[in-house]
Amino acid sequence: MGVLDLKTTKALQNTASIYERVKSVIPPMEWTAFAEDIDAINQLKQQKNAIILAHNYQTPEIFHGVADIQGDSLALAREAVNAKADVILMAGVHFMAETAKLLNPKAKVIIPDTKAGCSLAESITADDVKLLRKTYPGVPIVTYVNTSAAVKAESDICCTSGNAKKVVESLGVPEVIMLPDEYLAQNVAKETSVKIIAWKGHCEVHERFTANDIELFRKQNPGVIVLAHPECPPEVVEAADFAGSTAHMIDWVGEHKPKRVVLLTECSMSDNVAASNPATEFVRPCQLCPHMKRITLGNIRHALETMTHEVSIPAEVADRARRAVERMLAVK
Ligand code: SF4
């Protein structure tokens, strides 16, 4: 057994109360490797008046260890509006950092890795949206937040997986274009009388789940409750016991306290929810989002030390994109 140096020993002491919250999902050996970065990041946040917003798909050492605010895209957008910090570090993907910048333009918004993208955001461009508008004149365009600011700027209103149906129905029209997630659009279409024209984008994580997977989970894990994200194909959502955004899944597990559950979404979610629900057994099919996994404790620390990489959006794009996001936030 090795001997810990002074720095690590001190960091372990400083982070002991945080470890209490995650000890069911992070072994002590791993925490020893994380402690120094976590301690340094938490000190840097104070020195720079910075906060960290972390998406539910971040790994537990980030989600529980250094994040000030955790949530789904909708929650992070709402929190970005009110953040009083000088610096917002987004532990998530690029479109989330852009959304934080749109909603809090005075703050310096940084992201540890600019290559943290999203297959949905990459499936559509601003020119595609302009073409859709020409093809379907007068039909409002509802755009998922998983898009670039340039795409948002060409849209009428944004939505998230947590409020998509509400947003679509808030427009009071018989037909909308909903982009870019084809499966989210199809899943919402099943729940509303509004006709939905979809785009062909897919989330590379959620599109991998199949109805056969669910059958297998049920066979191998008797009594398991299946929760699916609405970015999954419609036949998967149909075969699940409940479908909802990551925030809705967290609430569902907290309220129903199932004995055994499987979350059909990115795999860090199960670790994060398990830390707060130790009595529930989580079946964990691991589907990683390679973009979310670009964010690490090491590059968060580096980003805070160097104040990189700053996110900026041209003013003309930002004003129009902000309007689409703010219209969404105004939907009750
Ligand atoms: S999980 Fe899917 S939707 Fe979320 S960032 Fe990754 S690719 Fe995009």
Side-chain angles (χ1 to χ4, degrees):
M1 190 174 139
V3 178
L4 296 180
D5 62 22
L6 253 179
K7 251 192 186 169
T8 311
T9 310
K10 185 102 180 50
L12 283 171
Q13 282 167 1
N14 292 347
T15 58
S17 61
I18 304 173
Y19 186 56
E20 273 306 298
R21 296 205 298 269
V22 287
K23 62 184 185 191
S24 61
V25 291
I26 302 182
M29 284 286 279
E30 274 183 38
W31 190 257
T32 304
F34 295 145
E36 217 192 297
D37 278 335
I38 291 176
D39 195 26
I41 290 167
N42 287 331
Q43 288 177 34
L44 281 162
K45 284 193 303 185
Q46 287 192 355
Q47 289 162 16
K48 314 251 176 174
N49 190 23
I51 57 165
I52 296 181
L53 270 49
H55 188 265
N56 292 328
Y57 296 159
Q58 292 298 307
T59 47
E61 69 278 11
I62 294 173
F63 189 85
H64 293 286
V66 298
D68 299 281
I69 291 157
Q70 302 103 332
D72 62 358
S73 309
L74 180 59
L76 296 183
R78 285 195 195 285
E79 293 294 341
V81 180
N82 302 319
K84 297 280 180 281
D86 295 326
V87 179
I88 296 174
L89 183 144
M90 179 57 70
V93 295
H94 195 263
F95 76 80
M96 295 177 178
E98 276 192 337
T99 307
K101 182 67 188 174
L102 289 176
L103 295 172
N104 198 330
K106 285 198 181 128
K108 187 191 231 336
V109 175
I110 56 174
I111 183 161
D113 187 334
T114 51
K115 291 205 189 86
C118 168
S119 64
L120 280 170
E122 277 141 36
S123 72
I124 190 155
T125 66
D127 283 344
D128 293 330
V129 187
K130 285 181 196 161
L131 196 63
L132 279 169
R133 212 180 264 294
K134 267 198 198 145
T135 314
Y136 300 96
V139 180
I141 298 179
V142 178
T143 292
Y144 197 23
V145 283
N146 296 37
T147 46
S148 66
V151 164
K152 289 184 178 80
E154 299 304 326
S155 311
D156 294 295
I157 187 167
C158 287
C159 74
T160 68
S161 57
N163 64 13
K165 177 175 176 261
K166 242 191 219 172
V167 167
V168 164
E169 293 182 345
S170 75
L171 299 172
V173 293
E175 185 177 40
V176 301
I177 297 165
M178 193 172 168
L179 46 89
D181 188 343
E182 182 182 25
Y183 295 148
L184 178 67
Q186 289 172 344
N187 286 321
V188 172
K190 283 190 176 169
E191 294 179 2
T192 179
S193 56
V194 180
K195 187 178 167 217
I196 295 183
I197 300 162
W199 184 251
K200 278 274 180 202
H202 296 145
C203 161
E204 67 188 83
V205 174
H206 293 98
E207 72 175 350
R208 285 184 227 145
F209 291 107
T210 66
N212 281 345
D213 292 341
I214 298 187
E215 215 181 300
L216 205 64
F217 294 141
R218 293 200 198 277
K219 247 189 216 153
Q220 291 173 344
N221 307 278
V224 73
I225 303 290
V226 181
L227 310 191
H229 193 281
E231 287 169 12
C232 293
E235 64 275 17
V236 171
V237 166
E238 208 155 288
D241 296 295
F242 171 82
S245 67
T246 53
H248 290 154
M249 286 189 198
I250 293 170
D251 291 348
W252 197 96
V253 172
E255 271 167 35
H256 294 81
K257 305 194 185 321
K259 263 198 183 143
R260 200 178 247 191
V261 74
V262 58
L263 308 181
L264 301 188
T265 189
E266 213 273 349
C267 65
S268 288
M269 252 287 280
S270 296
D271 293 334
N272 293 330
V273 189
S276 330
N277 294 275
T280 296
E281 182 198 332
F282 287 78
V283 176
R284 299 176 200 217
C286 202
Q287 298 287 10
L288 279 174
C289 171
H291 311 290
M292 288 281 179
K293 272 22 194 196
R294 282 185 169 273
I295 310 299
T296 63
L297 284 176
N299 61 21
I300 289 175
R301 183 174 176 175
H302 183 258
L304 285 172
E305 281 166 350
T306 57
M307 285 290 117
T308 53
H309 305 275
E310 186 170 0
V311 174
S312 64
I313 306 164
E316 187 269 330
V317 171
D319 289 344
R320 291 184 298 130
R322 184 178 306 113
R323 219 170 32 231
V325 180
E326 285 177 346
R327 277 190 81 188
M328 168 189 81
L329 294 178
V331 173
K332 295 290 171 223

